[in-house]
Amino acid sequence: MSGVHEWFSVELTRERNTRLLAEAEERRLVPRRPIWTVLRARVARRLFQFAVALEKEETWQAVWERLEAPRHP
């Protein structure tokens, strides 16, 4: 019985390794975003956070007005 178990375990491991290698190949082939795009998005998020921190009251009023706006079905 242990021989069957060992064979099955080896087959499962081979299938898993094959699947992992295929997934790694797919990830490698996926084009990555250029570094400038990533940096620009990061800077934009930081600027937005900074703007919100500076204008807390106005930001809160804008959000509140949006929440209180009548909803149209």
Side-chain angles (χ1 to χ4, degrees):
M1 182 107 152
S2 67
V4 173
H5 176 68
E6 289 174 16
W7 172 82
F8 187 68
S9 177
V10 168
E11 286 301 312
L12 284 178
T13 303
R14 284 184 185 154
E15 289 178 12
R16 181 176 168 262
N17 286 342
T18 302
R19 188 179 68 247
L20 289 174
L21 287 172
E23 289 173 1
E25 183 67 20
E26 287 176 13
R27 283 193 304 268
R28 190 175 67 87
L29 294 176
V30 172
R32 293 184 179 202
R33 294 188 306 184
I35 189 68
W36 294 113
T37 304
V38 174
L39 289 175
R40 185 176 59 179
R42 187 175 295 167
V43 168
R45 283 192 295 272
R46 297 286 186 206
L47 285 174
F48 180 75
Q49 290 172 348
F50 185 66
V52 169
L54 287 177
E55 301 293 336
K56 288 181 183 177
E57 186 65 31
E58 289 182 26
T59 303
W60 175 245
Q61 287 176 358
V63 169
W64 186 256
E65 289 172 3
R66 177 78 178 181
L67 291 173
E68 291 294 315
R71 295 185 182 169
H72 300 285

Coordinates of all heavy atoms in Angstrom, one line a residue:
M1 N 0.8 -1.2 0.0 CA 0.0 0.0 0.0 C 0.9 1.3 0.0 O 0.5 2.2 -0.6 CB -0.9 0.0 1.2 CG -1.8 1.2 1.3 SD -3.5 0.6 0.9 CE -4.4 1.8 1.8
S2 N 2.0 1.2 0.7 CA 2.9 2.4 0.7 C 3.4 2.7 -0.7 O 3.7 3.9 -1.0 CB 4.0 2.2 1.7 OG 4.9 1.2 1.3
G3 N 3.6 1.7 -1.5 CA 4.1 1.9 -2.9 C 3.2 2.7 -3.7 O 3.5 3.7 -4.4
V4 N 1.9 2.4 -3.6 CA 0.8 3.2 -4.3 C 0.8 4.6 -3.8 O 0.7 5.6 -4.5 CB -0.5 2.5 -4.1 CG1 -1.7 3.3 -4.7 CG2 -0.5 1.1 -4.8
H5 N 0.9 4.8 -2.5 CA 0.8 6.1 -1.9 C 2.0 6.9 -2.3 O 1.9 8.1 -2.7 CB 0.8 6.0 -0.3 CG 0.9 7.3 0.4 ND1 -0.2 8.2 0.3 CD2 1.9 7.9 1.1 CE1 0.2 9.3 1.0 NE2 1.4 9.1 1.4
E6 N 3.2 6.3 -2.4 CA 4.4 7.1 -2.8 C 4.2 7.5 -4.3 O 4.6 8.6 -4.6 CB 5.6 6.2 -2.6 CG 6.0 6.0 -1.2 CD 7.2 5.1 -1.0 OE1 7.9 4.7 -2.0 OE2 7.4 4.6 0.1
W7 N 3.8 6.6 -5.1 CA 3.6 6.9 -6.5 C 2.6 8.0 -6.7 O 2.8 9.0 -7.5 CB 3.1 5.6 -7.3 CG 2.7 5.9 -8.7 CD1 3.5 6.0 -9.7 CD2 1.4 6.2 -9.2 NE1 2.8 6.4 -10.9 CE2 1.5 6.5 -10.5 CE3 0.1 6.2 -8.6 CZ2 0.4 6.7 -11.3 CZ3 -1.0 6.5 -9.4 CH2 -0.8 6.8 -10.7
F8 N 1.5 7.9 -6.0 CA 0.4 9.0 -6.1 C 1.0 10.3 -5.6 O 0.8 11.4 -6.2 CB -0.8 8.6 -5.2 CG -2.0 9.5 -5.4 CD1 -2.6 9.6 -6.6 CD2 -2.4 10.3 -4.4 CE1 -3.7 10.4 -6.8 CE2 -3.4 11.2 -4.5 CZ -4.1 11.2 -5.7
S9 N 1.8 10.3 -4.5 CA 2.4 11.5 -4.0 C 3.3 12.1 -5.0 O 3.3 13.3 -5.2 CB 3.1 11.2 -2.7 OG 3.7 12.3 -2.2
V10 N 4.1 11.3 -5.6 CA 5.1 11.8 -6.6 C 4.3 12.4 -7.8 O 4.7 13.5 -8.3 CB 6.0 10.6 -7.1 CG1 6.8 11.0 -8.3 CG2 6.9 10.2 -6.0
E11 N 3.2 11.8 -8.2 CA 2.5 12.3 -9.4 C 1.8 13.6 -9.0 O 1.8 14.6 -9.8 CB 1.4 11.3 -9.8 CG 1.9 10.1 -10.5 CD 2.6 10.5 -11.8 OE1 2.1 11.3 -12.6 OE2 3.8 10.0 -12.0
L12 N 1.3 13.7 -7.8 CA 0.7 15.0 -7.4 C 1.7 16.1 -7.3 O 1.5 17.2 -7.7 CB 0.0 14.9 -6.0 CG -1.3 14.1 -5.9 CD1 -1.8 14.0 -4.5 CD2 -2.3 14.9 -6.8
T13 N 2.9 15.8 -6.8 CA 4.0 16.8 -6.8 C 4.4 17.2 -8.2 O 4.6 18.4 -8.4 CB 5.2 16.2 -6.0 OG1 4.8 15.8 -4.7 CG2 6.3 17.2 -5.9
R14 N 4.5 16.3 -9.1 CA 4.8 16.6 -10.5 C 3.8 17.5 -11.1 O 4.1 18.5 -11.8 CB 5.0 15.4 -11.3 CG 6.3 14.6 -11.1 CD 6.4 13.5 -12.0 NE 7.6 12.7 -11.7 CZ 7.7 11.4 -11.9 NH1 6.8 10.8 -12.6 NH2 8.9 10.8 -11.6
E15 N 2.5 17.2 -10.9 CA 1.4 18.0 -11.4 C 1.5 19.4 -10.8 O 1.3 20.4 -11.5 CB 0.1 17.4 -11.2 CG -0.2 16.2 -12.0 CD -1.5 15.5 -11.7 OE1 -2.3 16.1 -11.0 OE2 -1.7 14.4 -12.1
R16 N 1.7 19.5 -9.5 CA 1.8 20.8 -8.9 C 2.9 21.6 -9.4 O 2.8 22.8 -9.7 CB 1.9 20.6 -7.4 CG 2.0 21.9 -6.6 CD 2.0 21.6 -5.1 NE 2.3 22.8 -4.3 CZ 3.6 23.0 -3.9 NH1 4.5 22.2 -4.1 NH2 3.8 24.1 -3.2
N17 N 4.1 21.0 -9.5 CA 5.3 21.7 -10.0 C 5.0 22.2 -11.5 O 5.4 23.3 -11.8 CB 6.5 20.8 -10.0 CG 7.0 20.7 -8.6 OD1 6.7 21.4 -7.7 ND2 7.8 19.6 -8.4
T18 N 4.4 21.4 -12.3 CA 4.1 21.8 -13.7 C 3.2 23.0 -13.7 O 3.4 23.9 -14.4 CB 3.4 20.6 -14.4 OG1 4.3 19.5 -14.4 CG2 3.2 21.0 -15.9
R19 N 2.1 22.9 -12.8 CA 1.2 24.0 -12.8 C 1.9 25.3 -12.3 O 1.7 26.4 -12.8 CB 0.0 23.7 -11.8 CG -1.1 24.7 -11.8 CD -2.2 24.3 -10.9 NE -1.8 24.4 -9.5 CZ -1.7 23.3 -8.7 NH1 -2.0 22.1 -9.2 NH2 -1.4 23.5 -7.5
L20 N 2.7 25.2 -11.2 CA 3.4 26.4 -10.7 C 4.4 27.0 -11.8 O 4.5 28.2 -11.9 CB 4.2 26.0 -9.5 CG 3.4 25.7 -8.2 CD1 4.3 25.2 -7.1 CD2 2.6 27.0 -7.8
L21 N 5.1 26.1 -12.5 CA 5.9 26.6 -13.6 C 5.2 27.3 -14.7 O 5.6 28.4 -15.2 CB 6.8 25.5 -14.2 CG 7.9 24.9 -13.3 CD1 8.5 23.7 -13.9 CD2 8.9 26.0 -13.0
A22 N 4.0 26.8 -15.0 CA 3.2 27.4 -16.0 C 2.7 28.8 -15.6 O 2.7 29.8 -16.3 CB 2.0 26.5 -16.4
E23 N 2.2 28.9 -14.3 CA 1.8 30.2 -13.8 C 2.9 31.2 -13.7 O 2.7 32.3 -14.0 CB 1.2 29.9 -12.4 CG -0.1 29.2 -12.3 CD -0.6 28.9 -10.9 OE1 0.1 29.2 -10.0 OE2 -1.6 28.3 -10.8
A24 N 4.1 30.7 -13.3 CA 5.3 31.6 -13.3 C 5.6 32.1 -14.7 O 5.9 33.3 -14.9 CB 6.5 30.9 -12.7
E25 N 5.5 31.3 -15.7 CA 5.7 31.7 -17.1 C 4.7 32.7 -17.5 O 5.1 33.7 -18.2 CB 5.7 30.5 -18.0 CG 6.0 30.8 -19.4 CD 7.5 31.2 -19.7 OE1 8.3 30.9 -18.8 OE2 7.7 31.8 -20.7
E26 N 3.4 32.5 -17.2 CA 2.4 33.5 -17.5 C 2.7 34.8 -16.9 O 2.5 35.9 -17.5 CB 1.0 33.0 -17.1 CG 0.5 31.8 -17.9 CD -0.8 31.3 -17.4 OE1 -1.4 32.0 -16.5 OE2 -1.2 30.2 -17.8
R27 N 3.1 34.8 -15.6 CA 3.3 36.1 -14.9 C 4.5 36.8 -15.6 O 4.6 38.0 -15.7 CB 3.6 35.9 -13.5 CG 2.4 35.6 -12.6 CD 2.7 35.7 -11.2 NE 3.8 34.8 -10.7 CZ 3.6 33.6 -10.3 NH1 2.4 33.1 -10.2 NH2 4.6 32.8 -9.9
R28 N 5.5 36.0 -16.0 CA 6.7 36.6 -16.6 C 6.4 37.2 -18.0 O 6.9 38.2 -18.3 CB 7.8 35.5 -16.8 CG 9.1 36.0 -17.2 CD 10.1 34.9 -17.3 NE 9.8 34.0 -18.3 CZ 10.3 34.1 -19.6 NH1 11.0 35.1 -19.9 NH2 10.0 33.2 -20.5
L29 N 5.4 36.7 -18.7 CA 5.0 37.2 -20.0 C 4.1 38.4 -19.9 O 4.0 39.1 -20.9 CB 4.4 36.0 -20.8 CG 5.3 34.9 -21.2 CD1 4.5 33.8 -21.9 CD2 6.5 35.4 -22.0
V30 N 3.5 38.6 -18.8 CA 2.6 39.7 -18.6 C 3.4 41.0 -18.7 O 4.3 41.1 -17.9 CB 1.7 39.6 -17.3 CG1 1.0 40.9 -17.1 CG2 0.8 38.4 -17.4
P31 N 3.1 41.9 -19.5 CA 3.9 43.2 -19.6 C 3.7 44.0 -18.3 O 2.6 44.1 -17.8 CB 3.3 43.9 -20.8 CG 2.0 43.3 -21.0 CD 2.0 41.9 -20.5
R32 N 4.8 44.5 -17.8 CA 4.7 45.3 -16.6 C 4.5 46.7 -17.0 O 4.9 47.2 -18.0 CB 6.0 45.1 -15.8 CG 6.2 43.7 -15.2 CD 7.4 43.7 -14.4 NE 7.6 42.3 -13.9 CZ 8.3 42.1 -12.8 NH1 8.9 43.0 -12.2 NH2 8.3 40.8 -12.4
R33 N 3.9 47.5 -16.0 CA 3.7 48.9 -16.3 C 5.1 49.6 -16.2 O 5.9 49.2 -15.3 CB 2.8 49.5 -15.3 CG 1.4 48.9 -15.4 CD 0.4 49.6 -14.5 NE 0.9 49.7 -13.1 CZ 0.2 50.2 -12.1 NH1 -1.0 50.7 -12.3 NH2 0.6 50.2 -10.9
P34 N 5.3 50.6 -17.0 CA 6.5 51.3 -17.0 C 6.7 52.0 -15.6 O 5.7 52.4 -14.9 CB 6.4 52.4 -18.0 CG 5.3 51.9 -18.9 CD 4.4 51.0 -18.1
I35 N 7.9 52.1 -15.1 CA 8.2 52.7 -13.8 C 7.6 54.1 -13.7 O 7.2 54.5 -12.6 CB 9.7 52.6 -13.5 CG1 10.0 53.0 -12.0 CG2 10.5 53.5 -14.4 CD1 9.5 52.0 -11.1
W36 N 7.6 54.9 -14.7 CA 7.1 56.2 -14.7 C 5.6 56.3 -14.4 O 5.2 57.1 -13.7 CB 7.4 57.0 -15.9 CG 8.9 57.2 -16.1 CD1 9.7 56.7 -17.1 CD2 9.8 58.0 -15.2 NE1 11.0 57.1 -16.9 CE2 11.1 57.8 -15.8 CE3 9.6 58.7 -14.1 CZ2 12.2 58.5 -15.2 CZ3 10.7 59.3 -13.5 CH2 12.0 59.2 -14.0
T37 N 4.9 55.3 -14.9 CA 3.5 55.2 -14.7 C 3.2 54.9 -13.2 O 2.4 55.5 -12.6 CB 2.8 54.1 -15.5 OG1 3.2 54.4 -16.9 CG2 1.3 54.1 -15.4
V38 N 4.0 54.0 -12.7 CA 3.9 53.6 -11.2 C 4.2 54.8 -10.3 O 3.5 55.1 -9.4 CB 4.8 52.4 -10.9 CG1 4.7 52.1 -9.4 CG2 4.3 51.2 -11.7
L39 N 5.3 55.5 -10.7 CA 5.7 56.6 -9.8 C 4.7 57.8 -9.9 O 4.4 58.4 -8.9 CB 7.1 57.1 -10.3 CG 8.3 56.2 -9.9 CD1 9.6 56.7 -10.5 CD2 8.4 56.0 -8.4
R40 N 4.2 58.0 -11.1 CA 3.2 59.1 -11.3 C 2.0 58.8 -10.5 O 1.4 59.7 -9.8 CB 2.9 59.3 -12.8 CG 2.0 60.4 -13.0 CD 1.7 60.6 -14.5 NE 1.1 59.4 -15.0 CZ 0.8 59.2 -16.3 NH1 1.0 60.1 -17.2 NH2 0.2 58.1 -16.7
A41 N 1.5 57.6 -10.5 CA 0.3 57.2 -9.7 C 0.6 57.4 -8.2 O -0.2 57.9 -7.5 CB -0.1 55.8 -10.0
R42 N 1.8 57.0 -7.8 CA 2.1 57.1 -6.4 C 2.2 58.6 -5.9 O 1.7 59.0 -4.9 CB 3.5 56.4 -6.1 CG 3.8 56.4 -4.6 CD 5.1 55.6 -4.4 NE 4.9 54.2 -4.8 CZ 5.9 53.3 -5.0 NH1 7.1 53.7 -4.8 NH2 5.6 52.1 -5.3
V43 N 2.8 59.4 -6.8 CA 2.9 60.9 -6.5 C 1.5 61.5 -6.5 O 1.2 62.3 -5.6 CB 3.8 61.6 -7.5 CG1 3.7 63.1 -7.4 CG2 5.2 61.1 -7.3
A44 N 0.6 61.1 -7.4 CA -0.7 61.6 -7.4 C -1.5 61.3 -6.1 O -2.2 62.1 -5.6 CB -1.5 61.1 -8.6
R45 N -1.3 60.0 -5.7 CA -2.0 59.6 -4.4 C -1.5 60.5 -3.2 O -2.3 60.9 -2.4 CB -1.8 58.1 -4.2 CG -2.7 57.3 -5.0 CD -2.7 55.8 -4.5 NE -1.3 55.2 -4.6 CZ -0.9 54.6 -5.7 NH1 -1.7 54.5 -6.8 NH2 0.3 54.1 -5.8
R46 N -0.2 60.7 -3.2 CA 0.4 61.4 -2.1 C -0.1 62.9 -2.1 O -0.4 63.5 -1.1 CB 1.9 61.4 -2.1 CG 2.5 60.1 -2.0 CD 2.4 59.6 -0.6 NE 3.2 58.3 -0.5 CZ 2.9 57.4 0.4 NH1 2.0 57.6 1.3 NH2 3.6 56.3 0.4
L47 N -0.1 63.5 -3.3 CA -0.6 64.9 -3.5 C -2.1 65.0 -3.0 O -2.5 65.9 -2.4 CB -0.5 65.3 -4.9 CG 1.0 65.7 -5.3 CD1 1.0 66.0 -6.8 CD2 1.5 66.8 -4.5
F48 N -2.9 64.0 -3.4 CA -4.3 64.0 -3.0 C -4.4 63.9 -1.5 O -5.2 64.6 -0.9 CB -5.0 62.8 -3.7 CG -6.5 62.8 -3.3 CD1 -7.4 63.7 -3.9 CD2 -6.9 61.8 -2.4 CE1 -8.7 63.6 -3.5 CE2 -8.3 61.8 -2.0 CZ -9.2 62.7 -2.6
Q49 N -3.6 63.0 -0.9 CA -3.6 62.9 0.6 C -3.2 64.2 1.2 O -3.8 64.7 2.2 CB -2.7 61.8 1.1 CG -3.2 60.4 0.7 CD -2.1 59.3 1.0 OE1 -1.0 59.6 1.3 NE2 -2.6 58.1 1.0
F50 N -2.2 64.8 0.7 CA -1.7 66.1 1.2 C -2.8 67.2 1.1 O -3.1 68.0 2.0 CB -0.5 66.5 0.5 CG 0.2 67.8 1.0 CD1 0.7 67.8 2.3 CD2 0.2 68.9 0.2 CE1 1.3 69.0 2.7 CE2 0.8 70.1 0.7 CZ 1.3 70.1 2.0
A51 N -3.5 67.2 -0.1 CA -4.6 68.2 -0.3 C -5.7 68.0 0.7 O -6.3 69.0 1.2 CB -5.0 68.1 -1.8
V52 N -6.1 66.8 0.9 CA -7.1 66.5 1.8 C -6.8 66.9 3.2 O -7.5 67.4 4.0 CB -7.5 65.0 1.8 CG1 -8.4 64.6 2.9 CG2 -8.2 64.6 0.4
A53 N -5.5 66.6 3.6 CA -5.0 67.0 4.9 C -5.1 68.5 5.1 O -5.4 69.0 6.2 CB -3.6 66.5 5.2
L54 N -4.7 69.3 4.1 CA -4.8 70.7 4.2 C -6.2 71.3 4.2 O -6.4 72.3 4.8 CB -4.0 71.3 3.0 CG -2.5 71.2 3.0 CD1 -1.9 71.8 1.8 CD2 -1.9 71.9 4.3
E55 N -7.1 70.7 3.5 CA -8.4 71.2 3.3 C -9.4 70.3 4.0 O -10.4 69.9 3.3 CB -8.7 71.4 1.9 CG -7.8 72.4 1.2 CD -7.9 73.8 1.6 OE1 -9.0 74.2 2.2 OE2 -6.9 74.5 1.5
K56 N -9.2 69.9 5.2 CA -10.1 68.9 5.8 C -11.6 69.4 5.8 O -12.5 68.7 5.5 CB -9.7 68.7 7.3 CG -8.4 67.8 7.4 CD -8.1 67.6 8.8 CE -6.8 66.8 8.9 NZ -6.4 66.7 10.3
E57 N -11.8 70.7 6.2 CA -13.2 71.2 6.4 C -13.9 71.2 5.0 O -15.0 70.7 4.9 CB -13.1 72.6 7.0 CG -14.5 73.1 7.3 CD -15.2 72.3 8.4 OE1 -14.6 71.7 9.2 OE2 -16.5 72.2 8.3
E58 N -13.2 71.7 4.0 CA -13.8 71.7 2.7 C -14.1 70.3 2.1 O -15.1 70.1 1.5 CB -12.9 72.5 1.7 CG -12.9 74.0 2.0 CD -12.1 74.8 1.0 OE1 -11.9 74.3 -0.1 OE2 -11.6 75.9 1.4
T59 N -13.1 69.5 2.4 CA -13.3 68.1 1.9 C -14.5 67.4 2.6 O -15.3 66.8 1.9 CB -12.0 67.3 2.2 OG1 -10.9 67.9 1.5 CG2 -12.2 65.8 1.7
W60 N -14.6 67.6 3.9 CA -15.7 67.1 4.6 C -17.0 67.6 4.1 O -18.0 66.9 4.0 CB -15.5 67.3 6.1 CG -16.7 66.8 6.9 CD1 -17.6 67.6 7.6 CD2 -17.2 65.5 7.0 NE1 -18.5 66.8 8.2 CE2 -18.3 65.5 7.8 CE3 -16.8 64.2 6.5 CZ2 -19.1 64.3 8.1 CZ3 -17.5 63.1 6.8 CH2 -18.6 63.2 7.6
Q61 N -17.1 68.9 3.9 CA -18.3 69.6 3.4 C -18.7 69.0 2.0 O -19.9 68.7 1.8 CB -18.1 71.1 3.3 CG -18.1 71.8 4.6 CD -17.8 73.2 4.5 OE1 -17.6 73.8 3.5 NE2 -17.8 73.9 5.7
A62 N -17.7 68.8 1.1 CA -18.0 68.2 -0.2 C -18.5 66.8 0.0 O -19.5 66.4 -0.7 CB -16.8 68.2 -1.0
V63 N -17.9 66.0 0.9 CA -18.4 64.6 1.1 C -19.8 64.7 1.7 O -20.7 63.9 1.2 CB -17.4 63.9 2.0 CG1 -18.0 62.5 2.4 CG2 -16.1 63.7 1.3
W64 N -20.0 65.5 2.6 CA -21.3 65.6 3.3 C -22.4 66.0 2.3 O -23.5 65.4 2.3 CB -21.3 66.6 4.4 CG -22.5 66.6 5.2 CD1 -23.5 67.6 5.2 CD2 -23.0 65.6 6.2 NE1 -24.5 67.3 6.1 CE2 -24.2 66.0 6.7 CE3 -22.5 64.4 6.6 CZ2 -24.9 65.3 7.6 CZ3 -23.2 63.7 7.5 CH2 -24.4 64.1 8.0
E65 N -22.1 67.0 1.4 CA -23.1 67.4 0.4 C -23.4 66.3 -0.5 O -24.5 66.1 -0.9 CB -22.5 68.6 -0.4 CG -22.5 69.9 0.5 CD -21.8 71.0 -0.3 OE1 -21.3 70.8 -1.4 OE2 -21.6 72.1 0.3
R66 N -22.4 65.5 -0.9 CA -22.6 64.4 -1.8 C -23.5 63.3 -1.1 O -24.4 62.8 -1.7 CB -21.3 63.8 -2.1 CG -21.3 62.6 -3.0 CD -21.6 62.9 -4.4 NE -21.6 61.7 -5.2 CZ -21.8 61.7 -6.5 NH1 -21.9 62.8 -7.1 NH2 -21.8 60.6 -7.1
L67 N -23.3 63.1 0.2 CA -24.1 62.1 0.9 C -25.5 62.6 1.1 O -26.5 61.8 1.1 CB -23.5 61.8 2.3 CG -22.2 61.0 2.3 CD1 -21.6 61.0 3.7 CD2 -22.3 59.7 1.7
E68 N -25.7 63.9 1.3 CA -27.0 64.4 1.5 C -27.8 64.7 0.2 O -29.0 65.1 0.3 CB -26.9 65.7 2.3 CG -26.5 65.5 3.8 CD -27.5 64.8 4.5 OE1 -28.7 65.1 4.5 OE2 -27.1 63.8 5.3
A69 N -27.1 64.6 -0.9 CA -27.8 64.9 -2.2 C -28.9 63.9 -2.4 O -28.8 62.7 -2.0 CB -26.8 64.8 -3.3
P70 N -30.0 64.4 -3.0 CA -31.1 63.5 -3.2 C -30.7 62.4 -4.2 O -30.0 62.7 -5.2 CB -32.2 64.4 -3.8 CG -31.5 65.6 -4.3 CD -30.3 65.7 -3.5
R71 N -31.2 61.2 -4.0 CA -30.9 60.1 -4.9 C -32.0 60.0 -5.9 O -33.1 60.0 -5.6 CB -30.8 58.8 -4.1 CG -29.6 58.9 -3.1 CD -29.4 57.5 -2.4 NE -28.3 57.7 -1.5 CZ -28.0 56.8 -0.6 NH1 -28.7 55.7 -0.5 NH2 -27.0 57.0 0.2
H72 N -31.5 59.8 -7.1 CA -32.4 59.6 -8.2 C -32.5 58.1 -8.6 O -31.4 57.5 -8.9 CB -32.0 60.4 -9.4 CG -32.0 61.8 -9.1 ND1 -33.1 62.6 -9.0 CD2 -30.9 62.7 -8.9 CE1 -32.7 63.9 -8.7 NE2 -31.4 63.9 -8.7
P73 N -33.7 57.5 -8.5 CA -33.8 56.0 -8.8 C -33.5 55.7 -10.3 O -33.5 56.4 -11.2 CB -35.2 55.7 -8.5 CG -35.9 56.9 -8.3 CD -34.9 58.0 -8.1

